Amino acid sequence: MSTIRTVCVYCGSSPGTNPAFIAAAQRFGELMAKNNIALVFGGGARGLMGALAQAVLDHGGHVIGIIPEFLKSKEGIQTAAQEIIITPDMHSRKHTTVARADAFVALPGAIGTLEE
């Protein structure tokens, strides 16, 4: 098996209904950073997405945010990410996340998380 250097994490742009969701996202982000695994994610600054990305950044990790143009104002952009890729649509976002990641993880989210 090849080395995993990047993980795409799909998760909600809201914090969810259980505070444990945020805590788990933050812990996962910390572990990713400490193990030199870069985060590829939806690019948003809010909810589980934002908490996960901020945790990776807070622990010295690398963050690649991929967000479609139409979601920039709705979800905000994690501007501290080392890389921000703005795509024209969801199809391009999905294609880009798959191309940039070695592995995939789904944390709690809504129908969009499941669909991606």
Side-chain angles (χ1 to χ4, degrees):
M1 178 170 204
S2 62
T3 302
I4 295 175
R5 292 187 171 92
T6 58
V7 171
C8 178
V9 179
Y10 299 109
C11 58
S13 59
S14 75
T17 58
N18 186 334
F21 295 166
I22 291 285
Q26 290 169 328
R27 178 69 174 140
F28 189 57
E30 176 185 354
L31 291 171
M32 288 180 66
K34 288 182 175 181
N35 286 282
N36 263 346
I37 298 172
L39 170 65
V40 176
F41 84 118
R46 298 183 185 116
L48 293 183
M49 251 197 274
L52 172 67
Q54 192 59 55
V56 172
L57 292 165
D58 288 347
H59 291 91
H62 188 83
V63 173
I64 303 161
I66 303 170
I67 190 166
E69 180 71 39
F70 76 94
L71 285 179
K72 287 179 6 185
S73 62
K74 182 177 180 181
E75 294 181 358
I77 296 178
Q78 176 50 267
T79 58
Q82 287 90 348
E83 295 180 59
I84 298 170
I85 300 166
I86 299 171
T87 63
D89 53 40
M90 286 299 286
H91 180 75
S92 299
R93 176 198 210 176
K94 292 174 195 174
H95 178 76
T96 306
T97 59
V98 169
R100 297 295 300 266
D102 299 321
F104 301 85
V105 170
L107 295 178
I111 193 70
T113 300
L114 178 62
E115 191 273 334
E116 283 194 278

